[in-house]
Amino acid sequence: MQENSRYRVFIVDDHPVVRDGLKNLIEQEEDLVVCGEAADAATALQTIPETSPDIALVDLSLEHSSGLELVKEIRDQYPELPVVVLSMHDELVYGERAVRSGARGYLMKGESSQRVVSAIRSVLQGEVFLSERLMGQIASRLSHAKTTRPPIERLSDRELEVFQMLGQGTSTTAIAEKLSLSVKTVQMYVARAKEKFGVTSARELMREAVRWDETQVKS
């Protein structure tokens, strides 16, 4: 906590209008100030040590990078820096993954301004900020065997990213480029996803991916 006793907030989102909106919201609070921002993971990891934030707000959908991977990198490189994920993605699909990656809070875009501020303050005080719905899911997960979980929940973080992009009509080559992976690695993730969904062809997996993508919250 620096700069006239105001907590310093770092924002990571690839949409300038979202960053501006969050900055305006945060700086209306007497105890909060935005100390830096980034549109991608590489810039965030470079800028965080230069700006000394007390907390980071991270979106999951970033250009040329994965928000989940960034949360893991922050956890590993800056373990004292708490992270709150603010994303358009359904918390029941991504919330637990974000927590496992190191996030201390998860909010879906569309939440009230007051709830965003409450999440920041709660996490700054050492608490975990999750909705009752998400906490209920996590508690339920602890009482069920891994084999009873639906296929979408058994995908690894990378497998889920690839699956989601398939559902959006992205080619294997384009997925590899966006995630900075080789085509062979993407094909490996596709093969694992097929196994978990119990399908034998890429076309069948594509249908599952499209069907799932249509159910997700759009920004």
Side-chain angles (χ1 to χ4, degrees):
M1 189 171 181
Q2 305 171 25
E3 195 170 313
N4 299 323
S5 298
R6 299 177 79 182
Y7 288 103
R8 298 165 64 82
V9 184
F10 193 94
I11 301 171
V12 187
D13 195 293
D14 61 347
H15 293 97
V17 67
V18 174
R19 296 198 304 272
D20 289 345
L22 286 171
K23 183 174 182 179
N24 289 336
L25 167 66
I26 290 166
E27 296 199 335
Q28 289 177 19
E29 305 299 317
E30 294 183 354
D31 58 336
L32 302 174
V33 64
V34 173
C35 65
E37 59 184 68
D40 56 67
T43 303
L45 292 172
Q46 177 182 345
T47 311
I48 283 172
E50 300 171 357
T51 54
S52 302
D54 297 299
I55 190 170
L57 295 183
V58 176
D59 185 18
L60 292 185
S61 298
L62 302 174
E63 285 293 328
H64 311 301
S65 55
S66 160
L68 280 178
E69 292 302 313
L70 174 58
V71 173
K72 294 174 187 176
E73 289 283 351
I74 292 174
R75 176 196 62 195
D76 294 342
Q77 296 187 33
Y78 311 105
E80 300 303 315
L81 177 62
V83 174
V84 173
V85 168
L86 182 61
S87 176
M88 69 177 184
H89 295 299
D90 189 348
E91 62 183 358
L92 294 187
V93 177
Y94 285 90
E96 187 176 351
R97 294 173 186 272
V99 172
R100 288 201 306 264
S101 297
R104 300 284 296 173
Y106 193 100
L107 284 170
M108 291 182 62
K109 289 180 177 177
E111 296 272 13
S112 69
S113 299
Q114 187 54 51
R115 189 162 170 80
V116 173
V117 173
S118 294
I120 293 172
R121 290 203 176 106
S122 294
V123 171
L124 282 168
Q125 296 304 314
E127 300 173 11
V128 173
F129 193 93
L130 306 173
S131 71
E132 290 186 7
R133 188 171 72 136
L134 179 53
M135 287 191 292
Q137 175 184 272
I138 293 173
S140 176
R141 180 88 64 252
L142 297 176
S143 64
H144 290 80
K146 185 176 181 180
T147 54
T148 66
R149 294 162 61 190
I152 192 68
E153 294 178 7
R154 288 189 279 119
L155 297 179
S156 70
D157 293 342
R158 276 298 197 197
E159 289 163 3
L160 179 59
E161 286 182 296
V162 170
F163 182 76
Q164 180 182 17
M165 291 182 191
L166 286 174
Q168 295 168 349
T170 310
S171 69
T172 301
T173 301
I175 292 173
E177 181 177 352
K178 181 173 178 60
L179 297 180
S180 300
L181 301 171
S182 69
V183 172
K184 182 176 291 187
T185 298
V186 172
Q187 290 172 338
M188 177 189 69
Y189 289 132
V190 169
R192 290 178 181 173
K194 286 194 296 184
E195 181 179 347
K196 291 175 181 178
F197 272 88
V199 299
T200 57
S201 71
R203 179 170 295 182
E204 289 176 294
L205 184 66
M206 177 77 75
R207 282 200 295 267
E208 293 285 352
V210 170
R211 188 178 301 117
W212 178 79
D213 186 66
E214 289 174 347
T215 69
Q216 299 307 293
V217 178
K218 302 297 182 182
S219 60

